[in-house]
Each structure stands twice: as structure tokens, then as C-alpha cells.
Amino acid sequence: VASSSTLGTTGANPFSIVTDSAGNVYTGNSFSNNVSKITPSGVSTILGTTGTQPRGVTIDSAGNIYTANRPDGNVSKITPLGVSSILGTTGLNPVAITIDSAGNVYTANAGADNVTKITPLGVSSVFGTTGTAPIAITIDSAGNIYTANNGSNNVTKITPLGVSSIL
């Protein structure tokens, strides 16, 4: 029989969640405009601030946290020490986020029907088009980006060269 437990508290309206290799849990808190960190023992703290209404959250291999900030159209970066900054801009209404092994950040932009790529230096560009209202994003080991498109009930694949197709 499976069991469950409550680890700790978050900010208001946690909208996304990610874990690190040490077992820490991070939530993007849409109404608080921040990220909470919850340790494996349940200790909760606010790691750092974000833009307005963070909807997606991801983490890189160095422990930096990134959030897709929906109405602001940008991505926040929070270092493991809690230093917050804006990494770059996105398309309209970014709601999901992922990162590749080179540190490039990708957002699914539900209001623009596209994916934005932001380099580690903060250079933003449209990476590819999607179906209608992409609300989830992931990347595979070959560097292909996939979005779940809520408005068109399909999935888009974008190759590392930025070529989009509906699966």
C-alpha cells in the first residue's frame, strides 16, 4: 500500500514543480511571484523572486532554477544562493519551460503558438512554431522539443534545427 506525506509549505498558488538530485523540491508560486524550496526533511524557504505569475519551472545541472513568467513574457533565473534575474524574453504567455544540456532554455508560449529559445547569455529567438496553445514542453536526448498543444489537441515536434511538424 502506497503512503503519502506532506513535506512543507509553498508560496500562494503553486503552479509547477521540479526536483533536484539532492531531493529538494521547488515550486513556482503563481500568486506569490517566487519559488519555494522544500528540503527532503520538509523545511520550506523562499529561494528567490520571479516575474509575474510563474507558470513553468525547471532546473539545470548547476542548480539554477528557471521560471516561465506568463504575463511578463520572460524567464527568471534564480541561482542556488537565491539571486534572481531576468534571463531573457519569450513569446506571448509562456506557460511551460525546459532546458537542454547546453543550458539553452525553451518555453512553450500559449499565446503565440510557438517555442522560444533563450541561450545561457540571454539571447532570445523564436525556435519553432507549434499547434494551438502549447501548454507543456519537454526535450529528448537527441535535442528534439515536443509540445502538447491544448487548443489543437495534438503534439508538435521541433528538431534541433528548428523544423516543426505535427505528430
Side-chain angles (χ1 to χ4, degrees):
V1 175
S3 66
S4 65
S5 64
T6 302
L7 280 179
T9 59
T10 67
N13 196 30
F15 214 87
S16 52
I17 192 167
V18 69
T19 60
D20 67 17
S21 60
N24 296 300
V25 175
Y26 303 87
T27 61
N29 306 312
S30 186
F31 288 174
S32 301
N33 302 324
N34 61 27
V35 169
S36 297
K37 176 182 179 181
I38 306 169
T39 67
S41 64
V43 176
S44 300
T45 58
I46 299 301
L47 178 65
T49 59
T50 66
T52 307
Q53 295 180 8
R55 293 299 172 111
V57 64
T58 194
I59 189 170
D60 69 15
S61 60
N64 296 299
I65 302 290
Y66 301 85
T67 63
N69 307 314
R70 189 185 61 80
D72 292 342
N74 63 27
V75 168
S76 295
K77 175 182 178 180
I78 306 171
T79 69
L81 297 177
V83 178
S84 301
S85 62
I86 299 299
L87 177 66
T89 59
T90 67
L92 184 62
N93 293 334
V95 295
I97 192 168
T98 193
I99 192 165
D100 68 18
S101 60
N104 296 299
V105 173
Y106 301 86
T107 60
N109 306 312
D113 300 334
N114 65 23
V115 169
T116 298
K117 175 182 178 179
I118 306 173
T119 69
L121 297 177
V123 178
S124 301
S125 62
V126 174
F127 186 66
T129 58
T130 66
T132 306
I135 62 164
I137 191 169
T138 193
I139 189 168
D140 69 16
S141 61
N144 295 300
I145 300 288
Y146 298 87
T147 62
N149 307 311
N150 182 263
S152 53
N153 299 318
N154 57 24
V155 171
T156 299
K157 175 183 178 181
I158 306 172
T159 69
L161 297 177
V163 178
S164 300
S165 61
I166 300 294
L167 298 182

